Amino acid sequence: MNITKSAIAGTLESSDAQVTVCPGTDGIQLTLSSPVLRPYGERIRQVVLETLRALEVDQAEVTVVDRGALDCTLRARVTAAVYRSMDRFENIPWGGLDP
Amino acid sequence: MNEEKKHRLRRSMLFLSCQRPGLIQDPYVYGPDSLLLDLEDAVAENQKDAARHTLFRALRQIDYRGVERVVRINGLDTPHWREDIRASVAGGCDAIRIAKTESADDVLRVEAAVKAAEREFGRQDTLLMAAVESARGVLNLPDICRASSRLFGVALSGGDYTKDLQTTLSKSGVELAGARQLMVIAARAAGIQCFDTVYPDLEDAEGFRREVENARQMGFDGKSLINPRQIPVVHQVFTPSRKEIAYAQKVVREIEEKRAAGIGVFTVDGKMIDIAFYPGAKRTLALARAAGVYPADGGLD
């Protein structure tokens, strides 16, 4: 799945995350900020990369501003941003989105 | 259809917006009987897609600890409702709440979409409930209530309904009286549950309690809620008191004993009792049991 245009999903509210995806040419370039970067940064990075991999996105610039989001929220925001970049709002392959 | 699941205890149904992940990640801590995970009015038009993703991931990954998960989908006059159903069923929700239900046909359209989603995602037994929000919907309640074996209940949405009546919500609730009465009658005739509308004034605790007490007296099974702090009042009002449980126990026992002895009419605590009181007393005990205040062995005597 190619990111052909920039898209954003999520907010800066507590327990949320704002995810921006942009077209890229050098694999996944992930920029992450979070108030819990030291204890959970690696976990957040892992969840974001795992979600992108499941969506078969392998070229993108991704920025995550975390506000203490749970894993499920991170996955939801990454997925929403990716599908928004494709202007795809219907017929989402929900059955193939796990984890 | 799973009858036990269909007729479960639903005193409190708490609305939460799927636009805000922080709201739907742990609402089971407040102890509602059901959650109304909202994709409709509480979600901005340009956030419908993101809310569906948030809902789907929450349903898949959060353990709601037995609290029922009902998703309120967008109206059938919007482009969103079919995808709402796909996301909800794929996530494994317990039920779909149909917004702005106007006719039995609306229920059947949603039922067909739910069945298609169940086939697509390998799910089953998704229940339905119908929210009635217009004069036409109220007049069609008898048909709506009998439209589908998946329908566990109907709910009144007072805000939109009063707009349709060209009036406003008042503290007395006089403008809702006809709809409330008809809803209880239609639901009982069809053997399903019914739920009163939300009480929007969070500062008026006295008015809220009065409205909950009236709803129970009218025969409603529970109430839609907009704030967790409304839950304890609803549970207190809709759960039989110890006095009510003790009386129901006595009525059941006396009726069973007298029936065996060939006696049809008698008194319990000075009140005339006959077989017609049996179902009501049994219902009180079943409700108390479901609410966890009456042991299965009936040992409260």
Side-chain angles (χ1 to χ4, degrees):
Chain A
M1 211 183 290
N2 287 330
I3 303 297
T4 53
K5 67 170 188 174
S6 300
I8 188 167
T11 71
L12 300 179
E13 285 182 23
S14 176
S15 303
D16 202 348
Q18 192 169 68
V19 175
T20 309
V21 296
C22 300
T25 53
D26 188 19
I28 301 293
Q29 299 296 316
L30 174 58
T31 307
L32 170 64
S33 64
S34 170
V36 289
L37 198 58
R38 190 171 295 175
Y40 297 114
E42 201 41 51
R43 172 65 188 164
I44 295 169
R45 188 175 293 275
Q46 184 191 338
V47 168
V48 170
L49 294 175
E50 196 176 87
T51 307
L52 289 167
R53 202 160 40 243
L55 293 167
E56 297 178 352
V57 174
D58 45 24
Q59 303 278 346
E61 288 179 17
V62 180
T63 305
V64 177
V65 183
D66 171 57
R67 288 287 185 265
L70 296 182
D71 286 5
C72 59
T73 301
L74 284 167
R75 292 186 201 281
R77 294 316 195 185
V78 170
T79 311
V82 168
Y83 279 111
R84 280 180 171 181
S85 79
M86 304 161 59
D87 287 325
R88 187 164 172 186
F89 305 105
E90 290 176 357
N91 292 316
I92 302 294
W94 300 107
L97 288 185
D98 284 334
Chain B
M1 203 45 53
N2 182 331
E3 287 301 307
E4 194 180 331
K5 193 176 150 191
K6 187 173 170 183
H7 298 289
R8 64 180 282 167
L9 182 71
R10 296 184 181 93
R11 298 162 298 181
S12 54
M13 306 191 85
L14 178 65
F15 273 114
L16 297 164
S17 170
C18 290
Q19 186 171 330
R20 301 179 64 192
L23 292 183
I24 65 169
Q25 67 184 25
D26 55 5
Y28 50 81
V29 298
Y30 303 115
D33 293 327
S34 305
L35 297 170
L36 294 172
L37 303 167
D38 192 13
L39 294 172
E40 197 212 11
D41 285 353
V43 176
E45 187 63 24
N46 66 357
Q47 297 298 319
K48 298 290 188 187
D49 61 324
R52 278 194 290 266
H53 285 286
T54 301
L55 168 77
F56 171 77
R57 297 290 185 172
L59 287 173
R60 297 292 292 137
Q61 290 173 20
I62 293 175
D63 176 5
Y64 284 94
R65 304 181 191 188
V67 176
E68 184 179 43
R69 302 148 314 152
V70 181
V71 179
R72 176 163 77 163
I73 60 169
N74 285 281
L76 306 192
D77 56 346
T78 72
H80 306 299
W81 67 278
R82 288 183 187 278
E83 195 65 16
D84 291 347
I85 287 174
R86 289 185 69 247
S88 305
V89 172
C93 73
D94 297 300
I96 298 287
R97 174 169 162 139
I98 311 166
K100 299 183 175 67
T101 313
E102 299 256 292
S103 65
D105 188 55
D106 288 350
V107 177
L108 294 174
R109 287 173 71 197
V110 170
E111 183 185 55
V114 165
K115 283 180 178 173
E118 286 181 342
R119 282 193 298 274
E120 182 180 358
F121 301 112
R123 299 273 179 193
Q124 59 181 3
D125 284 351
T126 310
L127 295 172
L128 304 175
M129 70 177 290
V132 169
E133 314 184 22
S134 68
R136 184 166 170 249
V138 168
L139 287 177
N140 286 333
L141 267 166
D143 291 335
I144 290 169
C145 288
R146 287 192 297 265
S148 165
S149 62
R150 291 175 181 248
L151 198 75
F152 71 74
V154 282
L156 181 62
S157 182
D160 285 325
Y161 174 64
T162 48
K163 274 182 218 147
D164 198 37
L165 287 190
Q166 300 176 12
T167 182
T168 53
L169 282 173
S170 69
K171 292 283 180 188
S172 76
V174 64
E175 65 285 344
L176 298 178
R180 281 175 165 146
Q181 192 67 72
L182 184 56
M183 178 164 282
V184 174
I185 293 168
R188 290 293 169 251
I192 63 172
Q193 297 176 335
C194 51
F195 308 96
D196 193 27
T197 187
V198 299
Y199 191 79
D201 186 351
L202 289 174
E203 302 307 315
D204 181 10
E206 219 172 277
F208 176 64
R209 175 176 281 275
R210 202 164 41 242
E211 186 165 286
V212 177
E213 287 170 348
N214 286 341
R216 187 191 177 199
Q217 185 58 34
M218 286 192 81
F220 281 99
D221 294 282
K223 194 167 172 66
S224 305
L225 306 175
I226 52 168
N227 191 288
R229 71 183 196 225
Q230 295 178 320
I231 294 171
V233 174
V234 171
H235 283 190
Q236 190 187 17
V237 172
F238 273 95
T239 303
S241 65
R242 285 187 72 85
K243 197 174 160 190
E244 288 169 322
I245 295 168
Y247 184 69
Q249 252 183 330
K250 211 184 276 186
V251 168
V252 166
R253 194 174 49 231
E254 290 284 323
I255 287 176
E256 287 172 353
E257 282 175 14
K258 295 289 193 299
R259 187 166 48 192
I263 301 168
V265 181
F266 51 93
T267 60
V268 172
D269 294 349
K271 292 174 193 155
M272 191 208 82
I273 294 294
D274 61 22
I275 191 67
F277 289 81
Y278 193 68
K282 292 286 273 187
R283 253 196 319 276
T284 298
L285 296 182
L287 180 59
R289 194 173 293 123
V293 296
Y294 179 65
D297 61 2
L300 267 191
D301 269 337

